[in-house]
Amino acid sequence: MSITADYHLHSSYSGDSSEPMENIIQAAIAKGLTHICFTEHMDMDYPVTEETPKDYFLLNTDSYLYDLALCKEKYADKLKILFGVELGLQPHLQKELALYVRQHEFDFIIGSAHIVNGKDPYYPDYFADRSEEEAYREYFQTIIDNIKKFQNFDVCGHLDYVVRYGLNKDKDYSYEKYKDLFDKMLELILEKEKGIELNTGSLRKGLKEASPHTGVLKRYRELGGEIITIGSDAHTAKDVAADFDRAAEILTDCGFKYYCIYEKRVAEYKKL
């Protein structure tokens, strides 16, 4: 396997995972990884529902870091373990997010859009009473709005997360159909000197491709984009590094020769 670093992982410190951190680490070692980065969820102002009570996605960062430090020491001779976070971006949270990031010395930060005008596309309510295209377009516009408001992150997470949960998923979805928004998004990412991730989680959600779509990856590379990390978006140990062989093929086909890992917010390029 040419990709030996998984930079999108969740343990029981994320509201939507119950997997102990050590199980993730042991799975990574068993699969021959050299680097992993935990990117626990930190979604401020996440909508309160019966499934997601108040503070469901607020990360206890001090406890997380304490356990991470213990694991780093315990497995130091077997695996490089990095301290990351997946920030849930929303345009109105720029001050709160900026303060949070300044308080911690992260190795790596993913900036992701999970909430669009108070709704998570994970739930059917987001798609109610409108076309799938309208729902997708609102999500892509939100990513643009987020990046304009807040830039203290390293890569944008799962650029087409919304497609995982659409009624038809990616049946009628392509880069060309949303070219106007994707081009604005990618140009802004490059202007702000950020990167993107290739997230293999979409393959486990029934999509034909990883996230983002191959067309988006090719366009990013065509525009000069080089910063790209690889993440399984695993919430269980069994999904660590899932579909990484396919990820390597996708990146190579799209013209990439390297992928990135981060430490202390600095990118290092690894050959595919």
Side-chain angles (χ1 to χ4, degrees):
M1 185 168 64
S2 61
I3 298 170
T4 59
D6 192 336
Y7 265 60
H8 194 143
L9 294 167
H10 299 281
S11 75
S12 56
Y13 280 100
S14 290
D16 55 356
S17 174
S18 59
E19 193 73 81
M21 185 178 283
E22 284 207 61
N23 289 2
I24 298 285
I25 292 168
Q26 290 166 5
I29 293 168
K31 293 183 180 184
L33 298 186
T34 60
H35 295 70
I36 63 169
C37 187
F38 284 96
T39 52
E40 307 293 1
H41 283 298
M42 178 51 145
D43 273 77
M44 301 175 183
D45 199 18
Y46 190 90
V48 175
T49 68
E50 289 185 7
E51 292 182 45
T52 55
K54 189 175 185 294
D55 298 342
Y56 185 79
F57 280 115
L58 285 188
L59 176 61
N60 185 334
T61 312
D62 290 337
S63 294
Y64 159 43
L65 182 55
Y66 177 79
D67 278 358
L68 188 79
L70 294 178
C71 288
K72 286 178 73 168
E73 182 178 357
K74 181 176 180 179
Y75 294 96
D77 61 337
K78 296 180 179 179
L79 185 69
K80 183 80 170 181
I81 302 170
L82 287 308
F83 175 42
V85 68
E86 182 180 12
L87 294 180
L89 305 184
Q90 296 186 63
H92 69 283
L93 292 176
Q94 61 184 111
K95 291 182 180 179
E96 292 88 344
L97 291 171
L99 178 61
Y100 173 74
V101 171
R102 285 201 300 270
Q103 291 173 338
H104 304 283
E105 295 183 358
F106 291 109
D107 288 302
F108 177 62
I109 300 175
I110 300 173
S112 295
H114 297 126
I115 304 302
V116 183
N117 294 322
K119 295 182 179 181
D120 187 338
Y122 178 85
Y123 296 101
D125 182 53
Y126 175 79
F127 295 92
D129 302 321
R130 57 177 170 171
S131 71
E132 192 171 68
E133 180 175 347
E134 289 174 321
Y136 287 4
R137 285 186 168 275
E138 183 184 34
Y139 179 83
F140 298 142
Q141 182 60 53
T142 291
I143 293 178
I144 294 169
D145 296 340
N146 284 337
I147 301 170
K148 287 179 178 178
K149 290 287 187 177
F150 181 78
Q151 294 102 42
N152 197 356
F153 61 89
D154 302 304
V155 304
C156 290
H158 45 55
L159 291 179
D160 43 20
Y161 164 84
V162 66
V163 180
R164 293 181 184 180
Y165 307 108
L167 181 63
N168 298 299
K169 297 188 182 292
D170 56 355
K171 181 181 177 183
D172 302 311
Y173 166 66
S174 66
Y175 157 72
E176 288 77 17
K177 189 170 183 176
Y178 301 94
K179 183 180 188 301
D180 55 326
L181 291 170
F182 274 123
D183 280 2
K184 289 179 184 177
M185 187 193 305
L186 295 175
E187 288 167 2
L188 191 58
I189 288 169
L190 290 168
E191 176 190 325
K192 302 299 183 182
E193 299 183 334
K194 306 302 174 185
I196 65 173
E197 72 161 354
L198 177 60
N199 185 309
T200 62
S202 296
L203 296 170
R204 303 192 300 278
K205 298 291 185 181
L207 273 66
K208 298 187 294 290
E209 299 197 37
S211 176
H213 187 280
T214 300
V216 179
L217 290 170
K218 288 181 177 178
R219 182 57 173 157
Y220 174 64
R221 185 69 197 96
E222 184 179 89
L223 291 169
E226 294 184 326
I227 300 173
I228 189 159
T229 58
I230 318 298
S232 64
D233 209 346
H235 290 65
T236 63
K238 68 180 178 62
D239 289 329
V240 173
D243 297 299
F244 272 24
D245 287 338
R246 185 167 173 188
E249 293 175 2
I250 290 169
L251 289 180
T252 301
D253 290 345
C254 290
F256 291 90
K257 295 181 179 179
Y258 303 90
Y259 69 97
C260 290
I261 62 172
Y262 277 79
E263 185 172 355
K264 296 182 179 178
R265 308 288 305 280
V266 177
E268 177 184 345
Y269 290 84
K270 296 283 189 180
K271 191 171 179 59
L272 284 165

